[in-house]
Each structure stands twice: as structure tokens, then as C-alpha cells.
Amino acid sequence: LIILTLVFLLLGRVARFRIEQRREASSGSRLQRRIVVTFSLLTIVPTLVMVGFSVFFFVVGIQSWFDEKISQALSNSVQVAEGYLNEHAANLKADAYAMSRDVTLNATQLMESKEDFTEFLKSQAAWRVLNDAVVFRKEDVLASASDQDIAALLNFTEITPERLEQADNE
């Protein structure tokens, strides 16, 4: 925008100069023409050089963002994150199986009192460093080791009957 403004100002100045030159054919107009050309060149040349360097540094800077080393580093970090998530999911699955085994071993005692079941589940969750743990049947929460009302948070419609059947079989 700045360059276009300078170009239009320069062209306007040159046009005025041509008109005045035709009116006066004296030596004073030649001096004026030289002065206009000199100052025009003195303003345009540094501006063009600065624009050229700015564009060059901008293009080089953008290309460095998408450098192969940076792309490789991003790929590696994604792989590390996926590995962490897979390991964390495997740990949660192992904790769930272990808690299931402990609940099954103590099922007769735990089914007598919901409060005892909840305390047992809270101790299991704390021992395994879990934030929340829930034991539920198809649409009923048996025990919850959570500070929140987990029954309100659970959407039982999202748990498909196939998943419940799969959990029963495992």
C-alpha cells in the first residue's frame, strides 16, 4: 500500500512536471526536472531495497517454520503422545481388571451395604491413584468413588447393550 501510494505520488509529480515542461521551455524547468528525478530516485530505490529484503526474510522465515527438522520433531512428539495415551489406557484397563477381581472376591460382603461398597471402592481408587471409579449395572450405580454425583454425569444411553454384554463376558 505504501509502495503504491509512493508510485502514484511519483507518477502525479511526473505528470505535473511534463505539463509544466511543455508550458515553459526554459532552463529553470530543466533544473526542476533534475531535482524531481533525483529526489524521486532517492526515495524509491531505498524503499524497493527494503521491500525486497523484507519479502526475502519473510519467505525464509516462513520456510523455516516448515523445515524438515521441525516436521520430524512434531511427528516424534505426536508418536510420544500416542505412546503415552496407549500406555495410560493399558494401565487403566489393568486397574479396572484388578478392581473387578477384588470386587468379585468380596462381592457377598459388599452387596450387603451400599456404604461399605462405596468405602471399599474409594479405598481401591485411592490405592490405585484413580480420580473416579464407578461400579454399575445396566442403569443403576451400585457404588461410586467420586466427589461428584456420578450417576448424574453418566449417560447410560451411550453405553450400548453390546458393550455391557462384552463386559459381562469378560
Side-chain angles (χ1 to χ4, degrees), residues 90-105:
N91 288 342
L92 284 174
K93 190 174 183 179
D95 284 339
Y97 281 132
M99 286 178 74
S100 171
R101 185 189 67 237
D102 291 345
V103 167
T104 303
L105 290 174

Side-chain angles (χ1 to χ4, degrees), residues 150-169:
I150 203 75
L153 294 176
L154 280 177
N155 186 358
F156 286 104
T157 59
E158 292 178 2
I159 304 171
T160 62
E162 293 83 24
R163 292 281 188 174
L164 288 171
E165 186 176 324
Q166 180 183 6
D168 284 340
N169 293 336

Side-chain angles (χ1 to χ4, degrees), residues 5 22 33 36 40 44-46 48 53 66 78 89 93 100-101 104 108 110 124 130 143 149 156 163:
T5 305
R22 287 182 184 159
R33 181 178 62 209
V36 168
S40 298
I44 287 179
V45 170
L48 291 177
F53 277 115
F66 301 105
V78 166
K93 190 174 183 179
S100 171
R101 185 189 67 237
T104 303
T108 53
L110 297 174
Q124 287 284 318
L130 298 174
D149 181 18
F156 286 104
R163 292 281 188 174

